[in-house]
Amino acid sequence: MRKKSLVLVLAFVMMFALAGCDMISGLLGGKTEGEVGTTLKTSWFDFTVNSAEEADSYADYTAAEGNKLVVVEVTETNTSSDELPMGTFDFKLDDPADTEYYVAAMAPLDSSMMPEDFYLGANETVTYTLVFEVPSTSSNFTLVFTEYGIDSSGNESTGDTFKVTLGF
């Protein structure tokens, strides 16, 4: 009986070890998926999608024929003691077919749009708007952020992927 219990405990430990970062993050209180209004905690910063909506235009920009815009307001808070390089390249939209959409190639049209590149200071919080141009027939979008970094050996590494369901 004792041997059987030991085997069960070892099996549980192995299952837990092989389950990956998402399970561990979930058990430690970190969420990797959420909806508009949910704060997700990455290794370096927290972010919240405050709002998301479809639009034909934003500021002076109008979507091309057959396209629409997805306008997403995001608040980011640097939770590290280091300045973080950030920008529009950090986020993408996915649809159910796993088609990826990146921020529309345009200069910021107003001060609320996220700059292409910026530094987020230690403990600093900012709120910016991201504007994506997508086919008008696309729907059910998810905003995605994936952790990328350099490990202790100097190699690029990939961490958790965070997903926010936009609800349309």
Side-chain angles (χ1 to χ4, degrees), residues 19-26 30-33 41-44 47 144-149 157-163:
C21 294
D22 287 339
M23 183 177 181
I24 294 168
S25 290
K31 294 181 181 180
T32 58
E33 295 187 16
K41 298 175 180 300
T42 75
S43 294
W44 307 284
F47 75 95
V144 178
F145 169 80
T146 300
E147 296 174 328
Y148 295 100
S157 64
T158 303
D160 288 332
T161 296
F162 298 84
K163 299 178 180 183

Side-chain angles (χ1 to χ4, degrees), residues 87-109:
T88 57
F89 54 84
D90 288 317
F91 296 96
K92 66 176 181 162
L93 280 184
D94 282 353
D95 67 14
D98 287 329
T99 304
E100 298 176 344
Y101 302 97
Y102 294 89
V103 171
M106 67 176 87
L109 301 172

Side-chain angles (χ1 to χ4, degrees), residues 5-75:
S5 296
L6 180 61
V7 169
L8 287 174
V9 169
L10 288 174
F12 177 76
V13 168
M14 287 301 294
M15 182 178 72
F16 181 77
L18 295 173
C21 294
D22 287 339
M23 183 177 181
I24 294 168
S25 290
L27 288 174
L28 296 177
K31 294 181 181 180
T32 58
E33 295 187 16
E35 298 175 348
V36 173
T38 303
T39 299
L40 300 179
K41 298 175 180 300
T42 75
S43 294
W44 307 284
F45 67 96
D46 297 349
F47 75 95
T48 306
V49 172
N50 303 314
S51 63
E53 62 186 18
E54 296 174 317
D56 294 325
S57 63
Y58 178 84
D60 293 333
Y61 185 81
T62 301
E65 188 173 329
N67 288 348
K68 63 185 172 186
L69 302 178
V70 175
V71 181
V72 180
E73 184 187 77
V74 178
T75 297

Side-chain angles (χ1 to χ4, degrees), residues 79-151:
T79 56
S80 77
S81 57
D82 297 317
E83 187 176 68
L84 300 175
M86 302 292 295
T88 57
F89 54 84
D90 288 317
F91 296 96
K92 66 176 181 162
L93 280 184
D94 282 353
D95 67 14
D98 287 329
T99 304
E100 298 176 344
Y101 302 97
Y102 294 89
V103 171
M106 67 176 87
L109 301 172
D110 61 29
S111 61
S112 70
M113 285 185 72
M114 184 178 288
E116 185 176 5
D117 296 299
F118 70 97
Y119 284 93
L120 185 60
N123 302 307
E124 181 181 9
T125 297
V126 296
T127 299
Y128 284 123
T129 301
L130 299 164
V131 180
F132 300 87
E133 188 165 354
V134 300
S136 58
T137 56
S138 296
S139 61
N140 298 317
F141 296 104
T142 301
L143 185 74
V144 178
F145 169 80
T146 300
E147 296 174 328
Y148 295 100
I150 306 295
D151 65 19

